[in-house]
C-alpha cells in the first residue's frame, strides 16, 4: 500500500508540475502577439511583412472613403486611433463596411506605403440593438461601447 | 450510496424514466421552439447595423453553445462511466456524440451563412473558426472509434479517454476571441457584466437556447434508449417488455 | 397584407442566408429525431423475433 | 530500485531500437514516403519556382506529419499482435515507464531521421537559411509531440480493423495545432518578425504532451485489454 | 513457509459476460500452496476468459479473485509480479532471436538467477537455434521459446493457456516436469488443457467449465 | 462453366463488399483521411485564396492518391493473415478471376466514394466548373488504375513488416504518371487548351492496367507463397 | 474405382531446404486409395514444410510428388481441385459469421451437395453460433469452423496440419470419425499430429520425420 501511495503521489506531482510549466509557457505566449491581423501602428512601426500578403485591421476613418465613379475601386484610411494606413481596394465591399466601423483587409503593402487589398472583411462589434435604440443613444450623444477592434499597443 | 445510484441507474429503471422524460422535454422543446422562432422571426427588431440578417443569431448562437455543452456532457458522462462503471453514463456519452457533431456542423454552417453577408467571406482561418472545425473532427473521430470497437464496454472507456484528451479544445474555442485577435466578434451574452444585446433580442435568443437544451435532452434520451435496448437485448427485462408490447 | 408577407420573406435582402440557416437547422434537427425512431423500430422488431423464437423453443 | 528502473528503461529502449534497425524498412519507409510526398508536389503543381518556394516549408511539414502518422503503426501493433503487450502489462514495472522508453525509441527511429531529411530537402530546394533554421527548431519541438500524442491515440486504436486510417483520422486534428504554430513561426521568421510567441506555444504543447501522454497511453492500453 | 491449509489463490463466485452472452457464473475454487489446478471444458466454455480474469488482464462482471487473502485489484501491480502468464499468443518478437527474446522477458519480470539464459534455452532443447530469428522457427519451436520463460521466472503463480499445443512428446514431458517441480517447491499453477496431466507427488485439482 | 465463373466472381465480389460494409470504418476512414489532408493545406499555407485556387486540384489529386494507397492494405492483408489467400490459391477457379473480383470490390469501396468526395470538396472550395468536370473525368479513368496497380504491388508486399509504408514507396512512383497526366488535363482544360492527348494516355494506362494487373497479381501472390 | 494396389499419391525422394538449412531429404511414401498417412516427428523436423510441398504451395528442392501417376506440377490447377488443405491458419474471415464463411468456401471448392451448410455446421456443434461473427468465437470454435469445410468438400485428398489443436475431446472424436468415413469411401488423408489416431477399419501408414 505504501509503495502504491508513493507511486500515486509521484504521478500527481509529475502531472501538476508539467501542467504548471505548460500554462506558464502558454501565458507567456499570449503576452506576445500571435496575430491574426496587424494594426496600423504595427505597420507604421515596420513590424508588418513587406513582400507578402498579410492582414491589417482597424477602424475606417470618418469621411475618408473615396469611391471611383468609373469602377468599383475604393480608397479609405484605416486607423487604430494612433496611426493610419491608406488602403485601396477593387471589389464589392461587405454590407457592414461603414465609416467609423472596424474592418480587416487582406493584401500587400506597396512600396509607397499604401496597402493594396484583395479582400476586405468587416469586423463588427458585439452590440446588438434595434435601430431606434441606436438613434436614441446617438441623440443622447452616448458613445456605443468600445469597439473591440481597437487595441492600441 | 453508490449502490443506491447504481440501482436508480439500472438500465430497466432508466428506460422507464427516460420514456417519461422524453415526453416532457419533447413537449417543452416544441413549445419553446415555436415561441423562439416566432419571437425571432416576427417580433424581434432588426439590428441597427446588420438589419434583418441578425435573425441568424437565433439559430447560430444556440447551436454554437450546444456544440460546446454537448462535448462537456460527453466527456463528463464518459469519465463518470469510466471511473464508477455506470453503464447508463456510457450510453449517454455515446449517444451525445452524433448530436454534438450535428450542433457543431450547424454552428459552422450557420456561421458561414452569416459571415458571407456580414464579413464578406464564407470562411476565414481565425482561431474561433479553426478550433470549432477541430471540434467537429473530434466528434467524428469519437464516433469512428465507437463504431470500430466491438465490445461496447471497451468502446465506451476508450471513447472517454479520447474525449478527455480533446477537452483541451473547449476552453480554446471559448476564449479564442479574447486571446487572439479574431475576425469573429467577442462575447455578447456570456459577458459577466450586462450583456450588450437589447432585451427584445435577448428574450427570443434565450428562448431558443432553452429550446435547444430541451431538444438535446429528449434526443439524447431517445438515442440512449435505442442503445440500451440493443445492449441489453438478451436480458430479462427487455424480453418482458417486448413480449408485452408484441402481444 | 400581401406586400407585408413578401417583405417578411425577403428579409431585407438576406433571404437566402436567413432561410437557408433556418432550413438547415430544421432538417438536421428533424433528422436527428427520425433516425433514432427508425432505429428503435428496427431493434424492437429484431428483438421481438428473437423473443418469439425463444418461446417456440 | 532507482537503477533498476533505468535498467529496464534502457532494455526496452534497446529492444525497440534493435527491432527497428533489424527491420530496416521501418526506418527507411517513412523517410522514402516523406521524400515522395514532397517530390510529388513539383509534379502536381508544375515547376513555378516562386510558388514552390512559397509553399515548400508548409508542404515539408505536412509530409512530416503524414509520414510520422504512418510510422506510428509500428509503435504498438506488432507488440499487440504477438502478445508482448500483455507481457508488459503483467510486468513488474509501471507501464508508464515502459511506454516512455517506447516513445523515445520511436522518436529516435522516425522523428530524428525525418528532421534530418527535411533539412536535406530544404537545402536541395534552395530554401532560405532562416526557413531552414526555424524548420529545424520547430521540428525539434514538434516531432516529439507527434510521437507522444501518437502513442496515446495509437494505444486506443491498436488491433482495430482499419486501424491505420482510423488512427490518422483521430490524430490529425490533434496535430493541426503543432502544424499551424510551426508554420506561422517559419513564415514570421522569414519576414524577420518575432516568433517567440509561437515558440512558447510549441514548448507548452511539448511539456503538456510529455506530462500527459504516458499516462493516457497506459490507461488506453489497459482499456483495450480490459 | 505458507501454511498448507490457507488458500493462496481463491476465486469467489466469478461471473463472465462477453458481448451480451453470459459465459459462466458462480465459478469458484481455492488453491493452497503447492497445488495445481487443471481447467477443462468444451470449446467456448470460457477457459481463456477465466485465465485472463485470474491474471488481472480482464475484469469479472461479478465476483472476485483473492491472492493471499486480499483482492487482486487492491494492488494489481504487486500481484502481477507473482504471476507468469503464457497465453495462446507466445509473446515473443519474431525479429529477435530466442536469446534476445529471453533477455527482454527477464528484464520485465522478477527473474531468478538460478539459470543462465543459455541454460534455460538448452533445457528446452533450443540451444542449436538460440541465434536464429524466431520468424524462421516452426510453430512448436516458437512455443518452446515462450515456455522457456517459465524457467527463468521467480513468479509463484503460473497461468498457462493450452501450453502443449504444437509441442511434441518430448516437449510435453519437459513442461510437465517443470510444472511438477514448481509445485513441489510450493508454487501454484493454473493450466488449461484437454490432455491428462501426469504430475507425480503433486495435488492436482480439476475444474470443469 | 461460364455461368459458374460468373457465379464465383459474384460470390467473391459480394464477400468483399459485405466485408467492407460490415466494417464500415474501412470505407469511411479513407474518405475522412482524404478530407483532412485536403483541409490541412489551407491551415499550412494560409488563406491566400488565389494560391489555394491554383493548387487545389493538384492537392485533391494527391490526397486521393494517398488515401487510395492507404486503403489498399485492406485488399489482401487480412486474407493473407488468416489463410484465406491460401484457400483461394488452392481453389478450383483461376486466381486471376478471383483477383478481378477483389479489385472491382476495392474500387467500388474506395475509388468511387473518393471521386464523389473530390467533387464535393471541389464545390466547397469554389473550383471553376471545368476543373470539376475534368477532375471527375480524370478520376474515373485514373482511380481504377490505382486499384489495379495497387493490387499488383500489394500482392508483392503483403505480409511484410512495415508493409503499409513499403507499399506506398513502391506504388507512388507507379501512380505518378496517372497524377501528372490527370493534372495536366485539368490545367489545360481550365486554360481552354485541348486535352485529348492526356485523356488518350489515361485511357491507355487504364487498358494496360486491366490487361496486366490480374496476371501480375496472381503471379506475385504465388511467389509470396512459394 | 481405382485399383487398390496402385499408389494414388506418391512422394519420391523429397528434399527440403529452408534458408540455408537442410530440413529433410530422401523422404518418400506411397498412398493407395483409402489409406491415411500420419506424419509425426519432433518440433522443427519439417512436417509443415512437407505438407505445403504436398499441396503444391511450396516447391521441393529435389524429388517430386505424383498424383495418380503424374507429377502434380504437370497440371497444378487440376490437382488442387482434388486437395483440401487445412493448415495452422484457419482460413476464415473474422468479420463474417461461420455460415457466411462456409458459403464463400463452398463457392471456391468442388463441393458435394450431400450436406446443406447448416447441416454441416450442426454436425460440428456450431449451429448455436452460426450467426455470430467469427471474431467473437473462442479458438476451438474457430478451429471447428475451419474443419467443417471437410464436410462440404468433394476433394479426394485431405491434408491436415495439426487439426486437433485447441479442440476438446468431443471435437477430436468428431474429426477422427470424419477422416475414417472419408477413408472408407476411398479417399485419402495426410495428417500431421502428435496424438495417436483411432481410425477403425482404415489402413493407417505412419511417417516419422
Ligand atoms: C463559420 C463561422 C462561425 C463559427 C464557426 C462560429 C462559432 C461560434 C462559437 C463556437 C460560438 C460560441 C462561443 C462560446 O460560447 O464561447 C459563437 C458565438 C457567437 N457567434 Fe459565432 N461563429 C461563426 C460566425 C459568426 C458570425 C458571422 C457572427 C455574426 C456576425 C457570429 C456571432 C456570434 C455571436 C453573437 C455569438 C455569441 C457570443 C456570446 O457568447 O455572447 N458568429 N460562434
Ligand atoms: N521461413 C523460414 N525460413 C527459414 N527456415 C524456416 C522457415 N520456416 C521454418 N523454418 C525451419 O524449417 C524447419 C521445419 O519447419 P516446420 O514448420 O516445417 O516444422 P514442423 O515440423 O511443422 O514443426 P512443428 O511441430 O513445430 O510445427 C524448422 O527447423 C524451422 O526452423
Ligand atoms: N471478443 C469477444 N466478444 C464476444 N464474445 C467472445 C469474445 N471472445 C470470446 N467470446 C465468447 O466467449 C466464450 C468463451 O471464450 P473463450 O475464449 O474463453 O473460450 P475457451 O474456453 O478458451 O474455448 P477454447 O477451448 O475454444 O479455447 C466463447 O463462447 C466465445 O464465443
Ligand atoms: Mg481458449
Ligand atoms: Mg508445424
Amino acid at each position: 500500500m505504501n509503495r502504491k501511495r508513493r507511486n500515486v503521489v509521484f504521478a500527481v506531482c509529475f502531472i501538476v508540475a508539467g501542467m504548471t510549466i505548460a500554462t506558464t509557457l502558454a501565458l507567456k505566449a499570449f503576452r506576445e502577439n500571435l496575430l491574426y491581423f496587424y494594426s496600423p501602428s504595427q505597420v507604421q512601426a515596420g513590424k508588418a511583412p513587406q513582400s507578402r500578403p498579410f492582414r491589417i485591421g482597424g477602424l475606417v476613418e470618418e469621411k475618408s472613403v473615396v469611391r471611383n465613379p468609373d469602377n468599383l475601386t475604393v480608397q479609405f484610411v484605416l486607423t487604430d486611433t494612433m496611426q493610419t494606413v491608406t488602403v485601396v481596394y477593387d471589389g464589392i465591399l461587405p454590407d457592414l463596411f461603414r465609416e467609423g466601423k472596424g474592418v480587416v483587409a487582406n493584401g500587400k503593402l506597396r512600396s509607397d506605403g499604401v496597402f493594396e487589398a484583395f479582400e476586405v472583411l468587416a469586423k463588427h462589434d458585439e452590440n446588438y440593438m434595434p435601430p431606434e435604440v441606436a438613434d436614441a443613444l446617438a441623440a443622447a450623444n452616448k458613445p456605443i461601447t468600445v469597439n473591440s477592434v481597437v487595441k492600441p499597443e | 450510496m453508490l449502490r443506491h445510484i447504481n440501482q436508480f441507474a439500472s438500465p430497466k429503471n432508466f428506460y422507464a424514466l427516460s420514456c417519461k422524460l422524453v415526453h416532457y422535454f419533447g413537449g417543452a422543446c416544441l413549445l419553446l421552439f415555436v415561441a423562439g422562432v416566432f419571437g425571432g422571426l416576427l417580433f424581434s427588431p432588426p439590428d441597427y447595423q446588420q438589419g434583418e440578417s441578425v435573425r441568424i443569431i437565433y439559430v447560430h448562437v444556440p447551436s454554437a453553445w450546444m456544440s460546446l455543452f454537448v462535448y462537456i456532457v460527453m466527456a463528463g458522462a464518459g469519465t463518470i462511466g469510466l471511473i464508477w462503471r455506470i453503464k447508463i453514463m456510457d450510453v449517454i456519452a455515446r449517444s451525445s456524440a452524433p448530436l454534438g457533431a450535428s450542433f457543431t456542423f450547424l454552428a459552422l454552417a450557420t456561421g458561414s451563412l452569416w459571415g458571407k453577408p456580414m464579413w464578406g467571406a464564407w470562411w476565414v482561418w481565425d482561431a474561433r473558426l479553426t478550433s470549432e472545425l477541430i471540434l467537429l473532427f473530434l466528434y467524428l473521430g469519437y464516433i469512428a472509434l465507437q463504431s470500430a470497437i466491438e465490445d461496447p464496454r471497451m468502446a465506451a472507456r476508450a471513447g472517454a479517454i479520447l474525449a478527455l484528451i480533446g477537452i483541451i479544445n473547449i476552453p480554446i474555442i471559448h476564449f479564442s476571441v479574447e486571446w487572439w485577435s479574431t475576425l469573429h466578434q467577442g462575447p455578447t451574452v456570456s459577458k459577466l457584466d450586462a450583456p450588450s444585446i437589447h432585451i427584445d433580442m435577448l428574450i427570443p435568443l434565450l428562448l431558443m437556447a432553452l429550446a435547444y437544451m430541451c431538444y438535446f435532452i429528449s434526443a439524447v434520451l431517445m438515442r440512449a434508449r435505442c442503445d440500451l435496448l440493443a445492449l441489453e437485448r438478451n436480458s430479462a427485462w427487455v424480453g418482458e417488455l417486448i413480449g408485452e408490447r408484441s402481444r | 397584407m400581401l406586400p407585408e408577407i413578401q417583405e417578411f420573406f425577403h428579409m431585407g435582402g438576406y433571404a437566402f442566408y436567413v432561410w437557408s440557416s433556418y432550413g438547415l437547422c430544421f432538417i438536421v434537427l428533424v433528422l436527428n429525431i427520425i433516425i433514432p425512431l427508425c432505429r428503435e423500430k428496427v431493434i424492437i422488431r429484431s428483438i421481438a423475433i428473437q423473443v418469439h423464437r425463444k418461446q417456440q423453443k | 530500485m532507482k537503477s533498476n528502473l533505468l535498467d529496464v528503461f534502457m532494455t526496452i529502449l534497446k529492444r525497440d531500437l534493435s527491432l527497428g534497425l533489424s527491420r530496416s524498412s521501418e526506418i527507411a519507409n517513412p523517410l522514402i514516403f516523406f521524400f515522395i510526398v514532397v517530390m510529388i508536389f513539383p509534379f502536381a503543381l508544375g515547376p513555378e519556382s516562386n510558388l514552390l518556394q512559397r509553399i515548400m516549408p508548409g508542404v515539408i511539414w505536412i509530409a512530416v506529419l503524414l509520414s510520422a502518422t504512418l510510422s506510428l503503426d509500428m509503435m504498438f501493433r506488432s507488440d499487440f499482435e504477438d502478445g508482448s503487450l500483455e507481457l508488459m502489462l503483467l510486468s513488474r514495472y509501471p507501464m508508464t515507464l515502459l511506454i516512455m522508453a517506447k516513445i523515445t525509441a520511436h522518436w529516435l527511429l522516425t522523428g530524428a531521421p525525418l528532421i534530418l531529411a527535411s533539412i536535406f530537402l530544404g537545402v536541395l530546394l534552395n530554401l532560405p537559411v532562416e526557413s531552414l533554421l526555424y524548420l529545424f527548431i520547430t521540428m525539434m519541438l514538434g516531432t516529439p509531440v507527434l510521437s507522444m500524442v501518437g502513442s496515446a491515440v495509437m494505444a486506443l486504436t491498436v488491433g482495430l480493423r482499419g486501424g491505420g486510417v482510423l488512427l490518422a483520422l483521430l490524430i490529425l486534428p490533434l496535430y493541426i495545432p503543432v502544424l499551424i504554430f510551426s508554420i506561422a513561426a517559419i513564415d514570421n521568421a522569414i519576414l524577420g518578425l518575432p516568433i517567440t510567441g509561437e515558440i512558447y506555444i510549441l514548448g507548452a504543447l511539448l511539456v503538456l504532451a510529455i506530462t500527459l501522454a504516458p499516462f493516457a497511453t497506459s490507461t488506453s492500453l489497459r482499456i483495450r485489454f480490459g | 513457509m505458507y501454511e498448507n491449509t490457507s488458500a493462496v489463490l481463491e476465486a469467489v463466485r466469478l461471473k463472465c459476460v462477453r458481448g451480451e452472452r453470459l459465459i459462466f457464473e458462480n465459478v469458484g475454487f481455492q488453491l493452497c500452496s503447492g497445488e495445481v489446478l487443471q481447467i477443462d471444458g468444451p470449446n467456448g466454455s470460457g477457459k481463456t476468459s477465466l485465465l485472463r480474469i485470474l491474471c488481472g488482464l480482464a475484469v469479472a462482471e461479478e465476483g472476485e479473485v483473492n491472492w493471499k487473502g486480499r483482492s487482486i485489484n487492491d494492488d494489481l501491480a504487486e500481484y502481477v509480479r507473482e504471476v507468469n502468464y503464457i497465453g495462446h499468443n507466445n509473446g515473443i518478437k519474431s525479429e529477435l532471436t530466442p536469446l534476445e527474446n529471453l533477455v527482454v522477458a527477464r528484464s520485465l519480470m522478477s527473474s531468478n538467477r538460478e539459470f543462465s539464459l543459455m541454460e534455460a534455452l538448452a533445457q528446452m532443447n533450443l540451444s542449436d537455434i538460440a541465434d536464429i530469428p524466431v520468424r524462421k522457427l516452426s510453430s512448436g519451436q516458437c512455443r518452446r521459446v515462450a515456455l522457456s520463460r517459465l524457467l527463468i521466472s521467480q513468479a509463484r503463480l503460473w497461468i498457462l493457456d493450452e501450453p502443449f499445443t504444437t509441442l511434441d512428446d518430448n516437449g510435453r514431458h519437459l513442461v510437465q516436469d517443470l510444472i511438477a517441480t514448481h509445485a513441489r517447491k510450493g508454487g501454484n499453477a493454473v493450466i488449461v488443457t484437454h490432455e491428462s496431466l501426469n504430475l507425480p507427488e503433486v495435488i492436482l485439482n480439476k475444474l470443469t467449465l
Side-chain angles (χ1 to χ4, degrees), chain A, chain B, chain C, chain D, chain E:
Chain A
M1 198 63 202
N2 202 3
R3 201 176 48 84
K4 189 182 175 187
R5 188 174 297 155
R6 206 185 59 206
N7 281 349
V8 169
V9 168
F10 179 75
V12 168
C13 290
F14 185 69
I15 291 184
V16 167
M19 295 297 251
T20 325
I21 300 177
T23 16
T24 337
L25 284 174
L27 289 178
K28 270 191 126 106
F30 294 136
R31 227 163 283 142
E32 307 289 325
N33 35 18
L34 291 161
L35 289 176
Y36 174 67
F37 50 72
Y38 294 84
S39 69
S41 301
Q42 286 169 318
V43 174
Q44 294 301 358
K47 286 188 186 162
Q50 298 295 322
S51 56
R52 68 154 67 186
F54 65 96
R55 285 205 159 121
I56 179 172
L59 299 177
V60 182
E61 203 161 73
E62 300 282 351
K63 307 207 176 58
S64 73
V65 181
V66 184
R67 288 175 201 268
N68 186 329
D70 305 334
N71 50 27
L72 284 172
T73 315
V74 204
Q75 176 177 340
F76 54 89
V77 176
L78 267 191
T79 174
D80 57 1
T81 69
M82 327 267 285
Q83 294 280 352
T84 60
V85 170
T86 308
V87 179
V88 294
Y89 175 58
D90 181 10
I92 302 167
L93 290 167
D95 295 0
L96 281 187
F97 184 90
R98 308 271 157 75
E99 292 187 349
K101 297 291 169 200
V103 295
V104 175
N106 200 345
K108 264 187 194 167
L109 208 54
R110 288 205 307 233
S111 49
D112 58 357
V114 171
F115 188 83
E116 193 175 288
F118 58 77
E119 185 180 42
V120 172
L121 303 171
K123 172 137 170 59
H124 65 97
D125 55 42
E126 62 270 29
N127 298 306
Y128 290 87
M129 64 187 83
E132 312 87 63
V133 179
D135 291 343
L137 279 180
N141 222 351
K142 267 196 200 159
I144 296 169
T145 39
V146 220
N147 193 312
S148 61
V149 173
V150 192
K151 275 187 197 157
E153 303 267 309
Chain B
M1 177 65 191
L2 203 64
R3 176 149 301 169
H4 200 71
I5 293 177
N6 252 328
Q7 195 196 352
F8 166 73
S10 81
K12 185 183 173 185
N13 292 341
F14 178 82
Y15 189 89
L17 183 70
S18 72
C19 287
K20 269 185 224 150
L21 288 183
V22 165
H23 282 117
Y24 296 147
F25 280 98
C29 154
L30 218 69
L31 287 179
L32 286 165
F33 256 123
V34 171
V37 166
F38 271 85
L41 286 178
L42 287 175
F43 303 125
S44 79
D47 182 54
Y48 73 116
Q49 288 185 60
Q50 307 194 8
E52 305 282 350
S53 76
V54 77
R55 301 192 192 283
I56 298 178
I57 203 175
Y58 307 114
V59 286
H60 169 72
V61 175
S63 308
W65 283 344
M66 290 309 286
S67 70
L68 305 185
F69 175 73
V70 173
Y71 194 93
I72 295 171
V73 168
M74 186 176 90
T79 316
I80 294 175
L82 184 68
I83 297 176
W84 286 290
R85 304 205 175 159
I86 302 176
K87 210 182 220 168
I88 303 300
M89 287 299 164
D90 292 346
V91 171
I92 287 182
R94 173 206 265 277
S95 339
S96 306
L99 291 168
S102 306
F103 287 132
T104 313
F105 168 74
L106 284 181
L108 287 163
T110 55
S112 290
L113 282 167
W114 199 0
K116 182 61 186 169
M118 288 305 109
W119 300 337
W122 296 102
W123 186 260
V124 293
W125 293 101
D126 83 351
R128 165 62 63 82
L129 275 58
T130 309
S131 49
E132 181 80 358
L133 185 63
I134 288 179
L135 182 69
L136 181 64
F137 286 143
L138 282 174
Y139 275 122
L140 292 181
Y142 181 93
I143 294 170
L145 186 67
Q146 293 288 316
S147 66
I149 303 181
E150 273 298 318
D151 184 37
R153 203 166 55 168
M154 192 186 292
R157 302 171 75 200
I161 298 284
L162 182 70
L164 275 180
I165 296 178
I167 207 159
I168 299 179
N169 194 31
I170 297 296
I172 294 182
I173 296 178
H174 183 67
F175 292 112
S176 52
V177 288
E178 292 170 27
W179 289 343
W180 291 284
S181 33
T182 53
L183 186 62
H184 194 280
Q185 64 159 68
T188 294
V189 184
S190 50
K191 266 206 298 221
L192 278 183
D193 39 337
S196 20
I197 178 169
H198 193 268
I199 187 79
D200 288 350
M201 297 162 149
L202 184 61
I203 287 174
L205 180 57
L206 292 182
L207 281 179
M208 284 299 271
L210 266 183
Y212 267 68
M213 182 62 86
C214 293
Y215 170 84
F216 166 65
I217 293 175
S218 42
V220 89
L221 287 180
M222 279 167 66
R223 271 184 187 274
R225 255 169 37 186
C226 285
D227 274 5
L228 263 190
L229 276 186
L231 269 183
E232 303 256 307
R233 60 185 314 153
N234 289 325
S235 67
W237 68 270
V238 173
E240 281 166 24
L241 192 83
I242 307 288
E244 272 167 32
R245 225 181 258 184
S246 58
R247 227 171 276 137
Chain C
M1 188 65 199
L2 210 65
E4 257 173 48
I5 292 180
Q6 237 171 18
E7 194 181 320
F8 173 68
F9 281 110
H10 187 55
M11 274 291 158
Y14 296 114
F16 170 73
Y17 304 106
V18 174
W19 292 120
S20 34
S21 302
Y22 278 79
L24 260 182
C25 289
F26 183 75
I27 293 172
V28 171
L29 296 188
V30 168
L31 270 185
N32 266 320
I33 295 292
I34 292 178
I35 290 172
L37 279 182
C38 293
R39 235 191 72 192
E40 189 165 29
K41 224 174 243 167
V42 172
I43 291 174
I44 287 182
R45 190 173 308 146
S46 82
I47 296 179
I49 292 172
Q50 188 182 326
V51 169
H52 195 67
R53 236 194 240 157
K54 229 182 239 167
Q55 280 167 351
Q56 277 185 338
K57 268 184 198 171
Chain D
M1 180 76 184
K2 267 284 136 54
S3 79
N4 235 339
L5 287 184
L6 193 67
D7 263 13
V8 74
F9 183 89
M10 291 310 293
T11 317
I12 298 290
L13 183 64
K14 243 189 279 172
R15 179 192 94 127
D16 273 29
L17 286 182
S18 73
L19 278 177
L21 294 174
S22 80
R23 11 181 163 117
S24 57
S25 60
E26 300 238 317
I27 317 178
N29 288 349
L31 272 183
I32 302 180
F33 180 80
F34 167 78
F35 277 109
I36 292 179
V37 171
V38 175
M39 296 320 255
I40 252 183
F41 270 82
F43 285 108
L45 303 181
E48 236 176 283
S49 67
N50 265 345
L51 181 67
L52 285 183
Q53 284 255 336
R54 163 87 181 72
I55 67 170
M56 264 309 149
V59 169
I60 290 182
W61 245 108
I62 291 179
V64 165
L65 219 71
L66 292 177
S67 39
T69 311
L70 291 182
S71 74
L72 277 179
D73 208 36
M74 81 190 214
M75 198 160 12
F76 290 121
R77 178 140 67 88
S78 77
D79 282 353
F80 180 82
E81 280 170 2
D82 63 18
S84 304
L85 265 186
E86 292 177 1
L87 224 67
M88 292 190 188
L89 280 174
L90 292 179
S91 90
R92 65 206 207 85
Y93 296 100
M95 193 64 193
T96 38
L97 179 76
L98 310 183
I99 285 169
M100 282 183 206
K102 286 186 81 67
I103 294 177
T104 316
H106 180 260
W107 186 79
L108 287 177
L109 286 174
T110 62
L114 277 176
I115 296 180
L116 295 183
S118 316
I119 301 301
F120 175 69
L121 263 190
V123 172
L124 267 194
L125 293 167
N126 269 328
L127 294 190
V129 178
E130 297 92 11
S131 285
L132 287 182
L133 178 63
Y134 287 96
L135 203 58
F136 178 73
I137 294 179
T138 55
M139 283 199 176
M140 283 302 284
L141 289 169
T143 50
V145 180
L146 301 191
S147 291
M148 289 188 225
V149 174
S151 90
V153 176
M154 191 64 216
L156 279 178
T157 62
V158 63
L160 299 181
R161 316 228 89 264
V165 191
L166 176 63
L167 173 80
L169 162 64
L170 287 175
I171 223 169
L172 286 178
L174 297 171
Y175 281 1
I176 286 179
V178 177
L179 181 74
I180 292 179
F181 289 111
S182 302
I183 292 184
I186 298 175
D187 278 359
N188 287 354
I190 296 177
L191 302 171
L193 299 174
I195 57 162
T196 32
E198 282 85 2
I199 299 288
Y200 277 139
I201 293 236
L202 287 176
L205 285 175
L206 180 60
V207 175
L208 204 70
I210 292 180
T211 350
L212 295 184
F215 294 96
T217 311
S218 69
T219 316
S220 315
L221 279 180
R222 279 204 181 277
I223 286 172
R224 288 287 301 130
F225 279 95
Chain E
M1 199 165 150
Y2 301 94
E3 298 168 53
N4 240 21
T5 49
S6 79
V8 183
L9 180 71
E10 184 188 31
V12 188
R13 282 199 307 283
L14 291 177
K15 175 178 171 186
C16 171
V17 175
R18 305 217 54 167
E20 308 95 51
R21 281 186 308 143
L22 173 73
I23 307 299
F24 56 73
E25 64 187 333
N26 253 325
V27 167
F29 62 83
Q30 294 195 328
L31 277 193
C32 299
S33 170
E35 288 183 357
V36 172
L37 176 69
Q38 176 180 7
I39 302 179
D40 198 355
N43 292 138
S45 55
K47 302 179 293 296
T48 301
S49 310
L50 177 59
L51 289 195
R52 293 176 69 85
I53 291 172
L54 288 183
C55 66
L57 278 176
V59 187
E61 190 78 7
E62 276 172 25
E64 62 183 10
V65 181
N66 296 322
W67 175 248
K68 295 181 186 164
R70 281 172 45 204
S71 164
I72 60 169
N73 288 313
D74 279 358
D75 192 352
L76 199 58
E78 188 62 48
Y79 171 64
V80 295
R81 293 179 173 222
E82 311 228 35
V83 173
N84 194 343
Y85 171 65
I86 299 185
H88 277 306
N89 273 337
N90 289 323
I92 51 181
K93 305 298 304 176
S94 54
E95 283 81 15
L96 301 181
T97 66
L99 191 59
E100 290 166 339
N101 267 303
L102 274 199
V103 169
V104 174
R106 182 173 60 185
S107 79
L108 286 177
M109 61 195 187
S110 339
S111 66
N112 71 17
R113 303 275 158 179
E114 219 170 278
F115 277 103
S116 83
L117 296 184
M118 270 318 281
E119 277 166 1
L121 286 176
Q123 195 167 337
M124 297 302 289
N125 272 344
L126 293 171
S127 36
D128 287 350
I129 49 175
D131 292 318
I132 299 179
V134 168
R135 144 177 45 93
K136 294 193 181 169
L137 300 184
S138 77
S139 49
Q141 289 167 332
C142 293
R143 197 72 185 148
R144 279 167 185 255
V145 177
L147 289 167
S148 57
R149 285 207 296 272
L150 294 177
L151 283 167
I152 55 164
S153 108
Q154 230 173 11
R156 198 163 158 209
L157 174 60
W158 291 0
I159 298 188
L160 311 178
D161 200 352
E162 318 221 13
F164 306 124
T165 40
T166 71
L167 284 192
D168 56 17
D169 292 338
N170 164 278
R172 279 158 213 242
H173 286 303
L174 259 171
V175 176
Q176 294 194 25
D177 286 351
L178 282 184
I179 298 171
T181 318
H182 178 65
R184 275 187 239 116
K185 281 192 283 184
N188 293 94
V190 178
I191 301 162
V192 166
T193 178
H194 298 292
E195 294 173 37
S196 58
L197 289 173
N198 170 23
L199 307 173
E201 303 172 42
V202 170
I203 303 176
L204 180 65
N205 300 311
K206 290 206 181 178
L207 175 67
T208 305
L209 286 182

